[in-house]
Amino acid sequence: MNKLEIRDLEVCHGLLKAVRGINLNVQAGEVLAIVGANGAGKSTLMRAIAGSHRASQGSITFMGQTLGDLPAHKRVGLGLCLVPEGRRLFPKLTVQENLTVGAQIGRIGYWTVEKIFEVFDNLVKRRHANADTLSGGEQQATAIGRALVANPELVLLDEVSLGLSPAIVDRVYSILPQLRETETTVVLVEQDLGRVMKVSDRIICMLEGRIVLEGATKDLTRDQIIEAYFGLKPNAVEGAET
Ligand code: ATP
């Protein structure tokens, strides 16, 4: 079953078309990775799915419901949560308060505020600290926790490893098996191709707002992804020489 269906999606920043005619299905329980160079449109696509940025054309259907202009907080209520690039925590609320806010607008289920403190035990001693005093890793754990306590059906993780040490990134990604267990669908944007190939079931590569490569991770090679990433077309180059 498709949890998410995107048809002919176009998303603009003013006159700039950042997402151009994207068609995409995401199945229940799948981990889909989106890769692509800076400016390829990955974050814009994630924000449009989450309802933080309005699409100018096309449709997004989540669990059979066409979302249209449904605002982001109502999408959270349906089980669609974004962990945005840059985390965007409430800076003057404590870790616990940030998590409680997430729990309030979401759904009841496996993930609770206490479960988050169990999984991200680095947050326990920071429970009552304001978000703006946290380290990068603590902020990221809180941002992910805030999305998970809403018990999403689908969680969008936008560059959650940005600026974190490899050990902290390992900790962040250590939640993926639990997400699989709870049949939570994951769409993630990640720059580290090695990690993408390790954790994802399927990969799409974006270039200039379009999907230029899509396939099951097991069927794709690193070279294929890198070629798509940089828009290299070896055949076209050969053709130009003849
Ligand atoms: P990155 O990895 O750098 O975040 P990305 O693939 O996520 O890149 P987007 O951030 O979605 O790409 O950007 C897609 C295009 O939209 C780029 O040309 C970018 O300059 C432009 N863009 C993004 N955000 C805005 C904005 N708030 N206002 C104007 N243009 C924007």
Side-chain angles (χ1 to χ4, degrees), residues 11-14 16-19 34-47 53 85 158-159 162 189 191 206 208-209 229:
V11 191
C12 299
H13 294 286
L16 176 85
K17 277 188 196 167
V19 168
I34 305 178
V35 300
N38 286 347
K42 308 177 299 292
S43 292
T44 305
L45 173 60
M46 297 286 262
R47 288 170 53 76
H53 197 110
E85 191 180 352
D158 193 358
E159 300 214 27
L162 206 68
V189 171
Q191 294 289 359
M206 288 181 70
E208 294 171 359
Y229 189 104

Side-chain angles (χ1 to χ4, degrees), residues 197 202-203 213-222 224-225:
M197 297 196 79
R202 193 155 58 99
I203 297 175
L213 180 74
E214 177 171 5
T217 307
K218 63 178 177 32
D219 298 333
L220 294 174
T221 65
R222 203 183 164 85
Q224 272 176 311
I225 299 169

